[in-house]
């Protein structure tokens, strides 16, 4: 690839993808929310051009402005859509707010087409499946239980239809649990690391459920490779491909951050009726089609965060 474009550029996976593009000498057109405090996350590189554009302004974004930002690139090889609003707990359960994201996804497809992109890759979610007890792949039925999952699933289906109409190749990537340096401070891993460092007690669930964690760098590499090698029309699940009890991960963090920490209160918070208790990606199709495999172990990923 010579040039790519993406929304949600300051997100954890967006930043990881940009770094992977720079490593491969690929030009990047990064769309980010106007005035975002996270713009400082973006790598300073002559290969990266930033266009400040909110998701609700994409429909009016001039292709000529994008072409100018591309710095003379003959074409844009791939458009990655990570942008998604209302991702907090309250917003995820709000149908009206989540519905806006379906519109923004279709606006992103239209923008990609106007800019002459050859391929569109969208970011889906494991929330599209609801609660299951088998490794996730495209053959597993989707039964989302929250507005966020419903609208992620609808966005993927409609974007695929629109890409076919416009003659663009398409992939949809259902992301499981990605962690890393640019993750939100409110996530379990970052919160637990902070408690380990301070010694403060932390109430937790039983943490017996099976979980699949993938480091941000591996996620960025997967999206980069999919831009060039993903099979047109395919939906992939993105995770490490392995799972183990959540408590195992937290004990590994404890050993790395503060081995003397005894403040983890397992079982203090009970599971609720809608808790996801099994999460594992089946990455066999992704590996077969692209050759991608994760390379950063959970221990190494936490070490990099430290």
């Amino acid at each position: 690839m010579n040039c790519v474009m993406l929304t949600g550029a300051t997100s954890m996976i967006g930043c990881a993808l940009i770094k992977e593009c720079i490593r491969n000498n690929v030009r990047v057109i990064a769309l980010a929310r106007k005035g975002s405090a996270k713009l400082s996350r973006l790598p300073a590189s002559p290969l990266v051009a930033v266009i400040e554009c909110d998701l609700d302004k994409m429909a009016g974004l001039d292709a000529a402005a994008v072409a100018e930002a591309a710095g003379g690139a003959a074409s844009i090889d791939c458009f990655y859509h990570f942008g998604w609003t209302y991702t907090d707990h309250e917003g995820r359960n709000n149908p009206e707010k989540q519905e806006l994201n379906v519109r923004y996804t279709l606006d992103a497809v239209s923008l990609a087409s106007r800019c002459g992109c050859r391929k569109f890759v969208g970011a889906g979610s494991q929330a599209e499946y609801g609660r299951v007890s088998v490794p996730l792949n495209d053959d597993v039925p989707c039964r989302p239980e929250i507005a966020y999952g419903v609208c992620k699933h609808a966005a993927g289906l409609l974007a695929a239809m629109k890409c076919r109409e416009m003659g663009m190749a398409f992939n949809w990537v259902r992301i499981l649990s990605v962690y890393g340096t640019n993750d939100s401070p409110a996530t379990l891993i970052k919160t637990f690391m902070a408690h380990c460092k301070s010694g403060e007690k932390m109430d937790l669930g039983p943490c017996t459920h099976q979980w699949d964690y993938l480091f941000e760098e591996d996620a960025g590499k997967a999206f980069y490779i999919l831009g060039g090698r993903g099979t047109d029309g395919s939906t992939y699940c993105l995770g490490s491909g392995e799972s183990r009890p959540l408590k195992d991960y937290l004990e590994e963090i404890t050993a790395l951050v503060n081995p003397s920490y005894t403040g983890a209160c397992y079982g203090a918070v009970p599971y609720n009726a809608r808790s996801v208790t099994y999460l594992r990606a089946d990455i066999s199709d992704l590996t077969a089609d692209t050759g991608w495999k994760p390379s950063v172990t959970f221990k190494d990923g936490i070490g990099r965060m430290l």
Side-chain angles (χ1 to χ4, degrees):
M1 295 192 295
N2 296 307
C3 182
V4 303
M5 186 173 178
L6 71 154
T7 65
T10 63
S11 66
M12 176 171 54
I13 301 179
C15 289
L17 172 62
I18 291 173
K19 290 176 182 177
E20 185 64 19
C21 288
I22 292 171
R23 281 192 284 269
N24 287 276
N25 200 36
V26 172
R27 184 178 292 277
V28 177
I29 304 167
L31 270 61
R33 181 168 52 84
K34 189 173 182 179
S36 171
K38 297 178 181 178
L39 284 170
S40 59
R41 286 182 174 182
L42 300 180
S45 168
L47 290 171
V48 179
V50 179
I51 297 177
E52 295 188 43
C53 177
D54 291 2
L55 293 177
D56 61 357
K57 299 295 190 295
M58 278 192 301
L61 186 59
D62 186 6
V66 175
E68 183 179 352
S75 62
I76 300 173
D77 297 284
C78 187
F79 190 110
Y80 296 93
H81 182 51
F82 298 112
W84 199 270
T85 61
Y86 303 112
T87 56
D88 61 312
H89 178 73
E90 180 182 353
R92 281 172 171 249
N93 288 284
N94 188 306
E96 288 77 19
K97 289 181 177 179
Q98 288 301 316
E99 184 185 20
L100 293 172
N101 288 301
V102 179
R103 176 72 265 165
Y104 299 153
T105 300
L106 296 179
D107 288 345
V109 174
S110 295
L111 175 59
S113 180
R114 292 200 304 276
C115 294
C117 296
R118 300 172 184 173
K119 185 171 188 176
F120 185 93
V121 177
S125 169
Q126 57 85 16
E128 295 176 54
Y129 291 103
R131 288 169 293 156
V132 297
S133 57
V134 296
L136 301 177
N137 58 37
D138 195 30
D139 293 328
V140 176
C142 288
R143 297 188 179 95
E145 298 181 340
I146 60 174
Y148 173 80
V150 170
C151 289
K152 277 287 189 181
H153 191 49
L157 295 175
L158 293 172
M161 294 172 63
K162 196 171 181 71
C163 282
R164 284 196 296 270
E165 292 173 3
M166 294 181 165
M168 274 190 298
F170 173 83
N171 285 140
W172 190 250
V173 185
R174 293 179 181 144
I175 304 166
L176 274 67
S177 288
V178 177
Y179 72 101
T181 55
N182 284 321
D183 206 354
S184 166
T187 58
L188 174 61
I189 285 182
K190 282 206 168 181
T191 302
F192 188 75
M193 288 176 71
H195 280 71
C196 280
K197 288 179 181 179
S198 69
E200 182 182 358
K201 287 188 176 182
M202 182 173 178
D203 290 341
L204 296 158
C207 296
T208 55
H209 53 290
Q210 295 285 321
W211 217 250
D212 182 332
Y213 275 117
L214 181 72
F215 190 59
E216 59 188 0
E217 181 181 296
D218 278 329
K221 288 181 178 179
F223 272 97
Y224 176 80
I225 293 172
L226 279 168
R229 300 185 203 167
T231 300
D232 182 23
S234 291
T235 294
Y236 300 100
C237 284
L238 181 60
S240 71
E242 299 178 353
S243 65
R244 50 188 167 122
L246 182 61
K247 187 176 180 179
D248 286 5
Y249 293 107
L250 299 183
E251 289 180 342
E252 194 161 4
I253 291 173
T254 302
L256 291 168
V257 177
N258 180 5
S260 64
Y261 178 64
T262 58
C265 301
Y266 295 107
V269 181
Y271 287 135
N272 63 54
R274 297 179 67 180
S275 294
V276 176
T277 58
Y278 182 90
L279 196 64
R280 179 180 178 182
D282 176 356
I283 60 172
S284 56
D285 288 343
L286 177 57
T287 300
D289 290 352
T290 69
W292 175 87
K293 291 181 180 180
S295 60
V296 181
T297 65
F298 185 75
K299 180 179 179 179
D300 289 343
I302 298 299
R304 294 189 192 187
M305 292 174 70
L306 289 172

